[in-house]
Structures are given as structure tokens and as C-alpha cells.
């Protein structure tokens, strides 16, 4: 399990699930060399989705930081539980240097609120994996994607055969329709009673062209 950790709110949005269920990733790290960090100041809703590869703040190489409910890291905020921000070198990232384990001491959730146009469709794409340390059960990590608190996609990821240098990331996608001027995207672990959970990275949010999401 990860030891050092740091941590959005939602406006009303109707979410329409247009993509199938995904597979999950992530699990918290286990070991030594963690350091505690104070909570970052809260961040207001941003004008656009940002830092989908979890590069802010920078975590010491080969370590991770734990963030608890109410704490912020970059434009993300921990909505519940605890999460681990994984530094460069700890394990393979899907993009950039860092990634996010949705389980810190136990299941957690991370959210980001960003501006949207009511009635417009948006596609969320992300890379999913799991903590490969098989001594940390269960091997199948599960979680869900929420839009303004509504579950729009469940995912799971089996870490059997995966390693820190070969995480086995898979790309997953879900589309929603915004009904308000701001939307909150949340990734939440449903892997309970475990310090190892699903891992997410390389998250993108794109507004669909009129004919792209039919």
C-alpha cells in the first residue's frame, strides 16, 4: 500500500453511456520510501480539462504520495477515500512519468470539474491497468467512471502476469452529454478492503463533432 498521499465537485450533468464496460487497472504500491505531504489548496473549476496524465505535483522518483478526501493535486481533488499519486520509475506509466492508483489505504476516488457546453457530447478516453504486486489481493481490480455523480461505466483489470515494467495498460472510452456549464468527471475504485486498486493514466476529454459519437 502507498504511504504518502495528497488529494472535485460536481454540477448537474446528464450522462449517457455510449461505450461498453472497460477493464480496470491499478493498485497501490507497497514498500518503503514514502513521505507525507500536506494537502494542496483547493482548486476551482477549470476552463478546460487538464493534466490527464497526473503530472502535477511532481512526486519523488521511485516513490508515491498519498492524498486523502478533500485534498487536491493539480486540477484533481480526492472525492472520497485515499489515492496514491505514483512517481516516475515506481512502475510503468501509460503516458508521461506519473499515474494514479485509485486505492491508497483503501478504495478512493479522484474528480476534476471543467467547463462544458450544455447539450454537447464529450468523449472520455483513458488508460487502465492495475497494481501488479500479486501479494496484494484481490488480483482483479475494479472501479467506475462517473459523470456528475452518475455511474456511466464500470471497469475491471486482472493484474495476473503483469509487472511494474509491463503494466499491460488498455484504452477505454465512454461518452456523455453535458447539460450544464460545468461537468465533474470522477474515477472511483470499487476494490474494497485493499491497499492495491485500479490504476488510471493518460485521460483525455474531447468534445464530439456533430457526427462522431452516433
Amino acid at each position: 500500500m502507498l504511504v504518502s498521499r495528497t488529494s472535485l465537485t460536481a454540477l448537474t450533468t446528464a450522462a449517457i453511456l455510449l461505450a461498453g464496460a472497460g477493464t480496470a487497472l491499478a493498485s497501490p504500491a507497497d514498500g518503503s520510501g514514502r513521505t507525507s505531504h500536506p494537502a494542496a489548496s483547493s482548486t476551482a473549476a477549470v476552463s478546460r480539462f487538464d493534466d490527464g496524465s497526473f503530472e502535477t505535483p511532481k512526486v519523488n522518483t521511485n516513490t508515491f504520495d498519498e492524498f486523502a478526501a478533500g485534498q487536491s493535486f493539480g486540477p484533481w481533488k480526492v472525492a472520497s477515500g485515499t489515492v496514491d499519486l505514483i512517481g516516475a520509475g515506481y512502475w510503468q506509466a501509460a503516458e508521461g512519468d506519473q499515474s494514479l492508483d485509485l486505492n491508497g489505504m483503501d478504495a478512493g476516488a479522484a474528480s476534476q470539474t471543467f467547463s462544458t457546453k450544455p447539450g454537447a457530447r464529450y468523449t472520455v478516453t483513458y488508460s487502465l491497468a492495475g497494481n501488479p504486486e500479486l501479494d496484494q489481493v484481490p488480483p482483479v481490480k475494479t472501479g467506475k467512471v462517473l459523470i456528475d455523480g452518475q455511474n456511466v461505466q464500470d471497469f475491471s483489470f486482472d493484474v495476473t502476469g503483469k509487472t511494474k515494467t509491463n503494466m499491460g495498460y488498455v484504452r477505454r472510452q465512454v461518452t456523455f452529454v453535458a447539460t450544464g456549464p460545468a461537468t465533474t468527471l470522477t474515477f472511483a475504485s470499487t476494490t474494497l478492503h485493499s491497499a492495491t486498486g485500479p490504476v488510471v493514466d493518460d485521460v483525455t476529454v474531447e468534445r464530439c463533432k456533430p457526427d462522431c459519437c452516433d
Side-chain angles (χ1 to χ4, degrees):
M1 79 182 209
L2 305 180
V3 174
S4 49
R5 294 142 187 201
T6 326
S7 126
L8 221 185
T9 60
L11 292 175
T12 306
T13 302
I16 299 178
L17 175 61
L18 300 179
T23 58
L25 56 89
S27 61
D30 144 280
S32 59
R34 283 79 165 169
T35 43
S36 266
H37 292 263
S41 58
S42 297
T43 53
V46 296
S47 60
R48 61 182 178 82
F49 181 81
D50 195 19
D51 194 23
S53 58
F54 305 101
E55 303 300 316
T56 305
K58 286 297 181 185
V59 178
N60 290 337
T61 302
N62 295 318
T63 65
F64 52 84
D65 289 346
E66 179 182 87
F67 294 79
Q71 294 181 310
S72 298
F73 52 101
W76 297 88
K77 185 173 183 178
V78 182
S80 64
T82 56
V83 301
D84 289 320
L85 185 60
I86 309 299
Y90 194 89
W91 60 43
Q92 178 190 26
E95 196 278 333
D97 294 324
Q98 303 189 161
S99 57
L100 186 69
D101 187 338
L102 292 173
N103 279 49
M105 296 296 292
D106 205 338
S111 301
Q112 182 176 156
T113 299
F114 51 95
S115 296
T116 50
K117 180 179 180 179
R121 291 185 180 186
Y122 294 81
T123 296
V124 178
T125 307
Y126 60 99
S127 292
L128 177 67
N131 190 320
E133 299 180 27
L134 291 179
D135 58 328
Q136 300 293 328
V137 294
V140 177
K141 316 302 179 181
T142 61
K144 56 187 177 180
V145 180
L146 302 97
I147 296 296
D148 287 346
Q150 297 185 19
N151 184 5
V152 295
Q153 186 180 69
D154 295 313
F155 57 75
S156 65
F157 188 90
D158 189 341
V159 301
T160 303
K162 304 301 186 292
T163 66
K164 288 185 176 181
T165 57
N166 182 21
M167 294 286 284
Y169 286 99
V170 293
R171 289 296 274 173
R172 291 291 178 261
Q173 181 173 287
V174 63
T175 299
F176 69 92
V177 174
T179 59
T183 295
T184 297
L185 168 66
T186 301
F187 289 94
S189 171
T190 56
T191 307
L192 304 178
H193 313 304
S194 175
T196 64
V199 172
V200 291
D201 197 8
D202 195 13
V203 184
T204 62
V205 178
E206 296 182 340
R207 181 177 170 182
C208 296
K209 296 178 180 179
D211 59 348
C212 79
C213 300
D214 296 331

